[in-house]
Amino acid sequence: MRKLNTLIIGSGAAGLAAAVRLHAQKVENIAIYTEGLKMGTSINTGSDKQTYYKLGMYGTEGDSPCMMAKDLSAGGSVHGDLALVEASLSPLAFHHLVSLGVPFPHDVYGQYAGYKTDHDPKRRATSCGPYTSRDMCRSLIDDVLRRGICVEEHRLCYKLLTDKENTRAIGAIFLNMETGDWEIVKAENVIFATGGPGGLYAASVYPKVHTGGIGIGLEAGAKAYNLAESQFGLASIKFRWNVSGSYMQVLPRFVSTDQDGKDEREFLREYFATPAEMYDAIFLKGYQWPFSAGHVPGSSLIDIFTYIETVERGRRVWLDYRSDPADLEFSALNDETRTYLERSGAWEATPLKRLELLNAPAIELYRRYGIPLDKEMLEIAVCAQHNNGGLAGNIWWESVNLKHLFPIGEVNGSHGVTRPGGSALNAGQVGAFRSSEFIAAKYQEDTFSDEAFEEIAAEEMKQIQAMQSVPAQLDWKQERLTLQQRMSKAGAFVRSFANVEAALNGVYKQYDALTADGFGGLTPKALTDALRNRQLCYAQIFYLECILMQIEYIGSRGGSMVLCDDGRAIHPLLAEKWKVQEEKKEMREYVMVCGKGENGKPSIGWEKCRPVPECDGWFENIWREFRTGDVYNNDVTHE
Ligand SMILES: Cc1cc2nc3c(=O)[nH]c(=O)nc-3n(C[C@H](O)[C@H](O)[C@H](O)COP(=O)(O)OP(=O)(O)OC[C@H]3O[C@@H](n4cnc5c(N)ncnc54)[C@H](O)[C@@H]3O)c2cc1C
């Protein structure tokens, strides 16, 4: 058993930043426990131009934390005070990254220019290129190592430990993924930075190595916000990458085949009156990348048609960049599409040549990962990309109901129905700043007795030992596939009450089977994945229950649409069932809260959104509160 002041679980951009900030504030006795420094989403993912969202700081364009907070919360179902903290800390967190060497571009005067991203009325977005989050991780890892912060790799968190009354975190139990040994850590504070629920879906653009760990937090009893709000979009699946922006704007052929790659068909054609109309829709999909209920009808129909082909018809969908069909006439395209291609000089004879002109590195990227776009087609699907919801934190990113637990990064659910692109990376850094500052100011003492801890840990170890004496029966790979396929069918962007109900029926049964199965006879690798399945399955129960609640009380919004018999028809050529349930807009004034109920099952309710605070900003008062430390006592979240 090891004793720490602060245990950081996870080494993505958020966890690493938290470790660095704790160390900078002289919090001693900290350690990062992680599956690995090369695991997680941040270091393994990217996109066309991976975005970081921060306060505007260029030229004469005015911006302020309040203005940014209003934009962060404009999509609804967001607490305004959390948005204000994210906005206020964004310049600090951003400059911290710059000071560590993350190559964000600036002009000759040192101004960090920005561009507009989705849901962004200003030009607050910036980027280092396709691999912003990887650049962040690399600089943060360098700093973690320079500071000599302890990093324990190949550790899988199995359980978060809480006191008997379930009011606070006290540590965690880990599996050593290489040796199969168990390790117990007592910690005054736990910063929980295990990322988004990547392992929940079969169709996913989260890196394959990333499963996430939110189920562990939910099992410990931490409440969550907005679990039903996620983001989905078209992505390649052999190498996982969003096919947004220029991948669409060069107008590739959308082709479907049977499972063996035969019986090729340009399946989009059946839905459009003319080829030009189809190409205009494909072009628009480029910059309206994620599926949005607000773009149905509109560019999101492309996601729906792809879903029908893959999920309902059981075919495979591909983008073909090698040739244009004979009937593509540039003169027939609408003004927007034509002007863009004309002004970019991209009139070349094939989508690939146009892509070479617009964005040559986009071709190189696939070549590097063994997919030469001049020789083969690119297989795609509508994939899960981000969870706007997650564990619920207060303005210091401390769990709203478990003290000393700080969920930060994507596992924290501070976002609402929509979010400006890049605000996920910002929120992770802000969470790291806030949690570490609060811990440094308030939580450096050891306040939980060793004896009480040992008693709780011993009880848990007894249960683990009991499981180890029961031989494992289930095949983790099959179980993972079952749970992922269930989620992609019922809990992705196309939802219906009947489907979710059926999925819930399945997931409860699967969870019972998984928890009854033993650990006996498993290799460390197989045990690691069996444990991942348990927490993923538990998380799936929560996600699906929240989705069911969302269907009942809200309807279609944000990244998902709900089908219902008496809904609005969305396309004349789609089957009868494709009618969408309209959104109850007033529900954007509420955040959905979900926690472990008395029987261990999810209990769901609503919190009225707190507005963006109006602050008086009187310096002397702020200075006094800061000097006396009152600033840390003022829990405005629960006034
Ligand atoms: C394709 C794609 C493109 C994206 N583009 C953008 C963008 O442009 N802008 C933006 O803001 N966001 C973007 N995002 C989202 C953003 O990248 C993530 O939200 C962010 O990187 C998550 O960082 P994190 O530190 O919270 O988690 P991660 O980077 O996922 O790290 C989680 C860490 O926890 C560890 N871990 C997990 N479970 C356990 C466990 N049980 N025990 C021990 N360790 C564990 C993992 O190994 C890892 O070290 C994108 C995401 C994807 C998939």
Side-chain angles (χ1 to χ4, degrees), residues 123-167:
R123 293 193 295 165
R124 298 191 180 108
T126 180
S127 173
C128 307
Y131 290 111
T132 303
S133 57
R134 174 178 295 181
D135 290 339
M136 289 163 61
C137 284
R138 286 183 174 162
S139 296
L140 286 160
I141 289 171
D142 285 348
D143 204 40
V144 162
L145 300 179
R146 230 178 353 250
R147 290 171 181 276
I149 296 170
C150 169
V151 182
E152 301 286 1
E153 292 192 83
H154 315 296
R155 302 301 196 279
L156 183 85
C157 176
Y158 164 62
K159 200 156 220 160
L160 277 177
L161 298 176
T162 65
D163 62 350
K164 282 194 175 145
E165 296 74 32
N166 202 226
T167 62

Side-chain angles (χ1 to χ4, degrees), residues 4-21:
L4 293 172
N5 171 266
T6 301
L7 163 67
I8 300 131
I9 306 178
S11 58
L16 291 165
V20 165
R21 292 305 305 155

